[in-house]
Amino acid sequence: MTKTIIFIGPICSGKTTVAALLAKKLDMPQCSIDDVRFTYYKDNGFSEDTQREIREQEGFNGVYSYWKPFEADAAVRIVREYQHHIIDFGGGHSVYEDPLLFKKVTTALDAEPYIFLLLPSADQKESVQVLNERLLEVTTDPQVHAINEHFVTHPSNERLAKYIIYTNGKTPGETAEEIAKIVNN
C-alpha cells in the first residue's frame, strides 16, 4: 500500500492504538508525532527552559500557546517526511486558533485523502465525558482536561478530517478494521 493514512483527534481518542493495529493489519510503517515532535520543535527554536518558565508562570494553558507554532511546523514536516506511513497526530497538532497556523497545516494536508478524526461519539458532551474519564488515567490537571474539551468542540478537527469515525461500542481492532475497509476500497 502506498497511501498515507493520518489520525487526528483529542487526547485519549485512540489514535495511537488504532494506528498501531492498522499498521500491522496493512503491513505499513507507523509514525507517532509524539515520538518525533520535540526533535522537530527543537529544530525550530523550542526551549525546554522557556517551556518550564511558562509552565511555572501560566500553567498548561501557557505551554499550550507556546507549543502552537511548533506543532504546526511539526505537522507539516511529518506529513512531508513520513509519506506512505500511518501517522497519528498528537491531540493539539490538528487544532489551531491562529488562522495562519491553521492555513499552514490545511495546505500541507489538503491533498491527503485519508485523514481520520477519531471521536467516541457524534455527541460532543458524550465525547468530552468519555475522553476525560480516559484522561484521568494520565493526568488530573484541570487545564489539560479543559484543553481536551476544546479539542472536541473546536472546528479545526472536523475541517481537516476526510472521515469521522465514532468509536464508542467498538474495540480498537473493530475500528481499525472499519478504517482498513475504507482505505482498501
Side-chain angles (χ1 to χ4, degrees):
M1 177 165 296
T2 60
K3 304 168 184 170
T4 300
I5 300 167
I6 301 168
F7 288 97
I8 61 174
I11 303 166
C12 292
S13 62
K15 299 176 301 291
T16 302
T17 301
V18 173
L21 292 168
L22 188 64
K24 185 174 182 181
K25 180 172 198 49
L26 299 178
D27 192 28
M28 287 180 67
Q30 176 191 2
C31 181
S32 177
I33 202 167
D34 285 340
D35 292 341
V36 297
R37 70 186 184 130
F38 284 108
T39 299
Y40 287 179
Y41 293 5
K42 288 176 184 175
D43 288 348
N44 286 320
F46 170 84
S47 163
E48 289 179 11
D49 291 337
T50 300
Q51 175 182 282
R52 191 173 18 265
E53 290 170 17
I54 290 170
R55 180 136 189 137
E56 288 171 5
Q57 293 172 6
E58 302 173 40
F60 184 78
N61 287 336
V63 173
Y64 173 77
S65 294
Y66 176 62
W67 281 349
K68 293 319 288 181
F70 301 112
E71 288 178 340
D73 289 337
V76 170
R77 186 171 166 189
I78 200 165
V79 170
R80 185 179 65 240
E81 292 181 5
Y82 287 88
Q83 293 179 13
H84 314 297
H85 279 66
I86 296 174
I87 302 168
D88 56 281
F89 277 30
H93 289 91
S94 55
V95 176
Y96 296 93
E97 296 74 26
D98 181 326
L100 295 176
L101 293 177
F102 184 68
K103 177 71 173 162
K104 180 182 220 177
V105 174
T106 302
T107 300
L109 295 178
D110 203 34
E112 298 297 334
Y114 297 110
I115 303 173
F116 293 90
L117 169 57
L118 298 185
L119 289 170
S121 169
D123 180 272
Q124 289 184 338
K125 286 183 182 180
E126 182 180 342
S127 285
V128 169
Q129 180 181 353
V130 169
L131 294 169
N132 279 340
E133 287 172 10
R134 293 177 190 169
L135 191 56
L136 282 173
E137 296 177 21
V138 180
T139 182
T140 58
D141 185 335
Q143 288 185 338
V144 176
H145 285 257
I147 288 289
N148 210 33
E149 181 174 350
H150 176 68
F151 294 163
V152 172
T153 59
H154 195 277
S156 288
N157 276 322
E158 288 190 12
R159 289 178 57 196
L160 289 172
K162 305 290 173 47
Y163 301 89
I164 301 174
I165 305 294
Y166 300 110
T167 59
N168 256 4
K170 299 176 198 168
T171 66
E174 290 168 337
T175 301
E177 181 63 35
E178 179 180 349
I179 294 166
K181 287 178 183 174
I182 292 169
V183 298
N184 284 326
N185 282 335

